[in-house]
Amino acid sequence: MSHACAMLGIVENRSVSPVFVGRAGELTALTEALSRAAAGEPQALVVGGEAGVGKTRLLEEFLGEACRQGAVVAVGGCVEIGADGLPFAPFSTALRSLRRKLPEELAAAAEGQEGELARLLPELGGDAYGHEPYNEDSTARLFELTVRLLERIAADRTVVLALEDLHWADASTRHLLAYLFRTLRRGRLVVVATYRSDDIHRRHPLRPLLAELDRLRTVRRIELSRFTRTEVHRQLTGILAAEPDAALVDDIFGRSDGNAFFVEELVVCRESGAPGELSDSLRDLLLVRVERLSEDAQKVVRIVAEGGSTVEYGLLAAVARLPEDDLIEALRAAVNANILLAVPDGEGYRFRHSLVREAVSDDLLPGERSRLNRRYAEALEADPALVRADERTTRLASYWYHAHDATKALPVVLRAAAETRKRHAHAEQLRLLERAMELWDDVPAEVRASLRPIDYADAYPACGCAPDSSPLSYLDLLAEAAVAARLCGERERALKIVKRALRLLDGDNDHLRAAWFWTERSRLISNLGRGDGWAEIATAQELVRGLPPSSVHAQVLAVAAGWGMLHAPGRESLAAAEQAVEYARLVQAEPIELNARLTLGGLMVDAGDIETGLAEMYAVRDRARELSLRTEAGRAYINLASSLEAVGRSREAARIGTEGIDYARTRGLLDSEGWVLGNLIDSQISLGHWDEASEGASRLQRIAYSPKPRGSAHLKRAQLALLRGELAVCEEHLALAREAYGTHDPMMQYLLPLAQLDVGLAAARGRLADVRARFADTVRPGFPTAGSYRYAWPLLLTAATAEADASGLPAAAEGRPEALELIRFHAKRLAAPVAVWQAHALFLAAELDRAEGCVRAERWAEVTDAFGPLERPYELARARHRWADALLVEGGGRDRAAELLREAHPVAVRLGARPLREELELLAARARLPLTRPTAAEPQEEPDAGFGLTPREQDVLRLVAAGRTNRQIAEELFISPKTASVHVSNILAKLGVSGRGEAAALAHRMRLLQQAPA
């Protein structure tokens, strides 16, 4: 800060108070955050206030204190160039500052990721602008790597990152800042951002970010209010270096309304000797100081106002066209008058306050503004080295655009769009492409004919477009804009652009371009919740049918195969995947080929060709890693882990999942990490690693970048809650999962697990009618012939178990034959290609027998033997429980039953499976079997065989199970309804259930109303 102040020179009109006035509470909040960060707890703060209220002065005081405490300070400001923002400008500036101060440390923190991080800081080197295909993970990867870079730098030292003027922030900066605030978890880092609150109107793009930050408990908002009269008095004392008159304080406080900057401006007017000339117009007030400068100084100030937030000295000299001595004198006058500031860390100038710059800019005549922009553009074209390379094209595009020269502007705007895309600043790319579309008709046809495609959207170049000879078309712009809008989250705008392109193509014979746009429309329709996208894919397939192989054709087939794998796996999807692979190879589109091969491998696994399919998927993973195709490699890990779990190879799936998470995390593939983590949790649940699965589900809920992984996080938490008997928690997460998945794109991998949870939850609450209704609704459409077994067998088993547990309930008898027949009907048509689903089929058959009152020990022995080698501890414990129960019902095998219970009980305890644990303990109590091996030295206590129910409570429970009301119970037992109600409450408490239905179901399941087995 002292360096910046030293550059100001001798101030002629002292208008800034040397005394820091007010803001004690706000400064304390900032310094306390600094202390917490120094202790290892990262801090995030947002400072807001109207223009001129003192945000910059507060920040300067805080940064000065941070420097005194040994912190490393990096400041970056959002840049306004005309109406345009430079993508990631404040982060780039701050990282550049860190590189100057900590060159070795920053290089070490960025090691291995220089190419990606060079999109923010080109000085890191690497091919930041090399061509790569569009993908959904690019921006997330850059954000994750940026956060990790800051955490590494702040691991051993306190770092303060200050980002100013968020009201000018481009969309990419806003998204990166939101991601930083959401995910920052470690490091001695303080992030402080400032914004002008009076600029944030209802539709201002910063408003949604502020609303999101309000929901984050890790972010502190500080709002600066105007000065009180006492504080204005102190400010005037500091400025004047003397005690001000009370009348002066009253006058300036009344005119400024406590705005610190306006106080300074009013003092300048008074000190200039013309207090009576003060205008009530704010703009006139701000221009008073400018109008007292010399003609040359006023000219320079006007030039700087139109050049952007900061103007380099060399560029300013080229535009001003003044002798150097005159230019320096003009700048000195403007700096000494506190209108301009020399920029620290560079040879440039900016306005001390943006309000003055806006007033000067607004005071320019229309022709004057266009002329200045033209001179800026001409100077920059003549000497591109006048500005940094990463800003050059964007600024030149802005200058030509505001010079109203469409012919000059269009080519540069297109180059700027290509550069912003390569920085993953897709929102800025979209804005530039829309500007190009706006300019298109104003550019002469011969100039447009000279333009060539600069960038490409996915498979789009294969549409007969030869970049070296074919001119850029308007449709090319629409294709780029559609993809840019999708990638920056503007799906509605993307859909409008696609519809516009399809209208232009209507009646045209350009089937390849039309097919590409229909494929893009399919993706958008699905993402926006307007349908599953199949109708659009079918249209695209029809358009490419019979055409020679092309990248578009291959892409259409690959998308169709991928859709089929998720919605309708079978022969048609398999054939589409094979054809997509063939076409992609013919046109040498290897990324498309790898995606199609991955889909093909998954479909082969679903069809029963398991080893061949898995081998293909492993080969795709290895090839994608070899070619550094990160998105394809990430998808390979996702699908491999899922397919391995589907065929019961959970331990191998967990290994692949762990490896995939490490791969995704180190490469910033946040969305891929979420998908892989969801699959890993499935395997952890299967293997009995429930605590790890619970931790993973919580993390997935926190990091999920898109709705479906977030839905999966809630789904896993609901599954674990049901297994552990936490019914309210299960219901909560089930609703959140359903909300995240939506209803527009039904897939069995979501529909069937959601239905299983509905059925299980209803069964746990004793609502058999709801079990039957939900199950019937789910299975009515039938299951696909391939790939559904993974989700269908657990659903069928849950429904059968509910029927078996309720078999003794009189109210359950009606409708039971039809319900059991429906389960059997679908089980007969369901494949069981591997041991784990064959074991589920045996379990299902045994439960159906139990539901019909046929309990055979040998049947449960067979189920137990089937699950024994499968590393499914929960299912094995359940099977042992049922086998022990069957042995006791048959009246023999007490020793074997006791052994089975002793094997199952520790598993239920370790897993936290409370319902299973309680059932095991109840069965052991009824049968008077110890759950631990007795020793001669330790006599065993008689376990309670009936939950401590009194004979009268057992009578009441029997009537509850028969569906009687409290009044009916009272009549039958010759007691009062109030007494019956008390008995029912006691029974519910002793059984540990929440309702009469659960009590009845538990009583029949545990045979509490029967004699204990001998």
Side-chain angles (χ1 to χ4, degrees), residues 136-156:
E136 306 287 354
D137 278 324
S138 300
T139 304
R141 180 170 68 250
L142 178 60
F143 289 3
E144 177 70 10
L145 293 176
T146 304
V147 174
R148 193 177 311 120
L149 175 74
L150 292 171
E151 288 179 341
R152 287 175 178 171
I153 294 172
D156 302 319

Side-chain angles (χ1 to χ4, degrees), residues 698-879:
S698 297
R699 171 171 168 75
L700 178 57
Q701 185 178 337
R702 191 169 62 249
I703 70 166
Y705 192 71
S706 55
K708 285 189 169 63
R710 186 163 55 252
S712 294
H714 291 298
L715 178 66
K716 314 308 179 193
R717 296 189 71 174
Q719 289 170 335
L720 287 166
L722 182 60
L723 290 169
R724 288 175 159 169
E726 300 164 349
L727 303 188
V729 176
C730 173
E731 189 169 40
E732 175 189 352
H733 285 288
L734 177 58
L736 291 170
R738 187 169 279 115
E739 179 184 347
Y741 288 139
T743 59
H744 61 280
D745 190 13
M747 286 186 265
M748 63 182 178
Q749 69 186 77
Y750 308 131
L751 290 180
L752 299 189
L754 290 172
Q756 183 194 352
L757 283 171
D758 281 334
V759 170
L761 195 58
R765 289 175 166 162
R767 299 200 294 259
L768 188 62
D770 292 344
V771 168
R772 290 172 177 172
R774 185 70 175 95
F775 177 76
D777 287 344
T778 303
V779 301
R780 187 172 292 113
F783 301 131
T785 55
S788 59
Y789 47 80
R790 173 183 177 180
Y791 309 104
W793 281 116
L795 171 62
L796 294 173
L797 180 56
T798 301
T801 300
E803 292 290 345
D805 288 345
S807 60
L809 290 171
E814 184 179 354
R816 179 180 295 122
E818 295 81 5
L820 297 180
E821 179 56 33
L822 185 62
I823 295 171
R824 284 196 176 94
F825 174 83
H826 288 284
K828 289 176 184 176
R829 287 156 179 78
L830 193 60
V834 292
V836 67
W837 307 122
Q838 292 160 10
H840 273 74
L842 291 173
F843 206 143
L844 176 68
E847 288 287 48
L848 289 172
D849 285 351
R850 187 165 71 93
E852 293 177 328
C854 178
V855 179
R856 292 184 295 166
E858 67 271 18
R859 171 77 88 173
W860 288 108
E862 187 180 3
V863 175
T864 304
D865 289 344
F867 274 105
L870 295 181
E871 291 191 283
R872 290 291 194 279
Y874 177 71
E875 287 79 4
L876 180 58
R878 285 184 61 198

Side-chain angles (χ1 to χ4, degrees), residues 167-386:
H167 50 279
W168 286 332
D170 57 282
S172 297
T173 294
R174 295 194 301 271
H175 296 159
L176 176 52
L177 183 64
Y179 183 83
L180 174 63
F181 282 164
R182 282 199 309 269
T183 61
L184 189 61
R185 292 289 182 271
R186 58 183 179 272
R188 294 162 56 183
L189 181 66
V190 180
V191 182
V192 185
T194 69
Y195 72 96
R196 192 195 291 177
S197 57
D198 50 327
D199 272 6
I200 310 304
H201 51 77
R202 292 184 63 184
R203 295 188 178 182
H204 194 285
L206 186 63
R207 198 176 185 91
L209 172 61
L210 295 174
E212 179 181 354
L213 297 184
D214 283 338
R215 293 190 292 270
L216 294 177
R217 284 180 286 182
T218 55
V219 179
R220 178 166 182 180
R221 287 275 296 274
I222 297 175
E223 291 291 332
L224 300 187
S225 58
R226 296 179 179 183
F227 280 166
T228 63
R229 184 187 182 284
T230 300
E231 289 168 332
V232 169
H233 178 275
R234 292 180 58 201
Q235 184 184 7
L236 288 173
T237 302
I239 294 173
L240 300 173
E243 183 71 19
D245 293 336
L248 177 64
V249 175
D250 289 338
D251 179 61
I252 290 185
F253 177 67
R255 287 178 174 273
S256 69
D257 202 18
N259 184 291
F261 180 66
F262 295 165
V263 169
E264 295 176 0
E265 295 302 302
L266 288 164
V267 171
V268 168
C269 291
R270 178 184 178 279
E271 291 295 299
S272 68
E277 296 178 10
L278 287 177
S279 168
D280 290 332
S281 165
L282 173 60
R283 191 182 71 175
D284 290 346
L285 170 64
L286 296 175
L287 291 175
V288 165
R289 195 191 302 234
V290 176
E291 290 168 352
R292 283 176 167 73
L293 295 174
S294 67
E295 284 297 322
D296 282 349
Q298 289 189 48
K299 175 181 178 181
V300 169
V301 167
R302 286 194 293 271
I303 292 171
V304 174
E306 197 59 25
S309 297
T310 300
V311 179
E312 296 78 358
Y313 174 77
L315 181 59
L316 179 58
V319 175
R321 301 176 184 175
L322 290 172
E324 188 168 15
D325 289 345
D326 293 346
L327 175 61
I328 291 173
E329 283 304 313
L331 286 168
R332 184 181 301 280
V335 169
N336 287 344
N338 265 336
I339 295 171
L340 296 182
L341 290 176
V343 178
D345 304 329
E347 294 188 359
Y349 294 86
R350 66 176 176 85
F351 277 82
R352 175 176 171 266
H353 203 289
S354 58
L355 281 175
V356 179
R357 184 176 72 82
E358 291 167 15
V360 173
S361 181
D362 288 344
D363 198 47
L364 294 174
L365 299 173
E368 186 179 13
R369 180 175 290 110
S370 298
R371 181 173 59 84
L372 285 176
N373 275 281
R374 175 175 291 278
R375 286 168 64 175
Y376 269 114
E378 290 171 346
L380 194 51
E381 279 192 341
D383 187 359
L386 290 173

